[in-house]
Structures are given as C-alpha cells and as structure tokens.
Amino acid sequence: MGKRYYCDYCDRSFQDNMHNRKKHLNGVQHHRAKKAWYDQFRDYAAVLHDEQIKKPCRKFLQKGICDFGPNCRFSHMSEEDLFNLKRHMQEERQHKEDSEDRIISGRSIEEWLSKREKKRAALGSKGDSKTKEDNEEDEAENDIPQQIFSIPDLPPSLLPPPPGGWRVSASSEWC
C-alpha cells in the first residue's frame, strides 16, 4: 500500500508522494485549516485590531448568518462583542502588569531559597530541635514569596504548609 501522509491541520491522510503532498499543501482547504489553527492562538489585541479595521458584514447583520463564515472579509462582531473583546484585552494586560510588578517588587524565588537554606544551616549547627521547628514555622508563614502562590497545580511537595502546620500522627515513625 505504501506510505501515507497525515495532515494535522486538515485531519486527512493520503498516499505520500511529491505530487499529492504538493497539491494538498497548496490547496485552499489546507490553507483555511492552517489559518483557523493559528487564529485560535492569537491574542486579544491582534483580534481586536483586525476586527476594528473591518467593515460590518451586512448579510450577517440582517440574517445572523453569513455564507463565508470565518473566511468573510467583513466583521461578524457586534458592538457588544467588541466591547467584551476590549475588556478581555484590558484584563489580560492588567494581569500581565500585575505579575511583572510582583516579580520586580518581590524578591526572586532563588533568593528566597538560598536565604532559607542559610537559615536552616545556621539553625542546624546550634540550638535545640524544638525551638528550631517553632522558628521555622513562624518564619515560613510570613516569608514565602507571593510568586509561589500564583503557580497553578503545584505538586504537594512544593505547596507551603497549612496555617496550623503539618499533622503528625503518633503511630507513624521513621525506620
């Protein structure tokens, strides 16, 4: 049967030879599917800019449907859609600025980890274990950089301890 070529954009496969592949890659359907794929990753600012430049589609405004669909050269967005797009763009920009401000104003995670390691080494060389644990709990609550809390789906080993500390049962002992 021979090798087959599978196009991820078009979700199609065909016999792989130079003629078929060239014909497919230059085809209108492939170009539309490829454009649709990359359009889903565009940011709000680019979409808003493109939609503001376009004139409204008369057919879409009258009937609510356009024969050209996403390939129409006119805009299918209402004033409300454009307003929502602007709002999303502003929220995205604000979120980005907030995260940059947090990183700039706060110290980096690397600095926090190195300082924490130095404190642990200093406490390990002197003092009894009871005061060492109490000091660590007090400092851990106030000392954790805020960037850690903004990372989604942290593994349990990297999550900060709960406010009351970790529960330790009397039956669990290390061998």
Side-chain angles (χ1 to χ4, degrees):
M1 183 165 162
K3 291 185 178 183
R4 297 196 60 80
Y5 177 79
Y6 178 75
C7 178
D8 289 317
Y9 300 116
C10 304
D11 194 25
R12 301 175 91 179
S13 65
F14 49 87
Q15 187 177 6
D16 190 20
N17 61 41
M18 189 172 69
H19 173 73
N20 287 349
R21 190 183 290 203
K22 189 173 182 179
K23 187 176 177 182
H24 173 75
L25 293 177
N26 291 329
V28 174
Q29 280 186 321
H30 176 76
H31 284 274
R32 285 183 181 164
K34 186 176 173 184
K35 182 182 182 306
W37 172 258
Y38 284 106
D39 281 349
Q40 71 181 346
F41 300 111
R42 293 175 63 202
D43 62 336
Y44 292 117
V47 173
L48 180 65
H49 181 265
D50 288 349
E51 291 297 324
Q52 286 176 333
I53 292 174
K54 294 178 182 179
K55 294 179 183 176
C57 178
R58 278 189 277 152
K59 198 173 224 180
F60 188 78
L61 290 175
Q62 290 171 351
K63 297 182 180 181
I65 191 165
C66 175
D67 297 335
F68 295 102
N71 298 321
C72 184
R73 64 181 186 164
F74 298 106
S75 177
H76 290 176
M77 288 198 163
S78 66
E79 291 296 322
E80 184 180 340
D81 293 336
L82 288 174
F83 177 75
N84 289 336
L85 198 57
K86 284 180 187 176
R87 189 172 45 83
H88 282 295
M89 185 183 73
Q90 290 169 348
E91 288 174 0
E92 186 179 79
R93 185 182 300 140
Q94 185 66 36
H95 179 70
K96 186 177 178 183
E97 289 173 359
D98 289 347
S99 64
E100 287 174 357
D101 288 345
R102 251 188 279 138
I103 291 171
I104 291 170
S105 65
R107 55 192 171 160
S108 70
I109 295 174
E110 290 82 14
E111 290 175 17
W112 175 72
L113 286 172
S114 64
K115 187 175 178 182
R116 182 173 172 242
E117 191 60 38
K118 287 177 187 175
K119 284 181 185 178
R120 283 188 167 198
L123 289 173
S125 62
K126 58 185 175 185
D128 62 316
S129 63
K130 184 77 173 163
T131 45
K132 182 174 24 172
E133 290 173 5
D134 291 341
N135 288 341
E136 284 180 10
E137 286 179 8
D138 293 342
E139 292 174 7
E141 290 178 10
N142 300 327
D143 199 32
I144 298 172
Q146 293 301 310
Q147 296 101 308
I148 290 179
F149 297 113
S150 66
I151 301 172
D153 302 327
L154 276 175
S157 62
L158 296 178
L159 288 173
W166 300 111
R167 281 189 341 196
V168 180
S169 61
S171 62
S172 62
E173 295 181 22
W174 294 91
C175 296

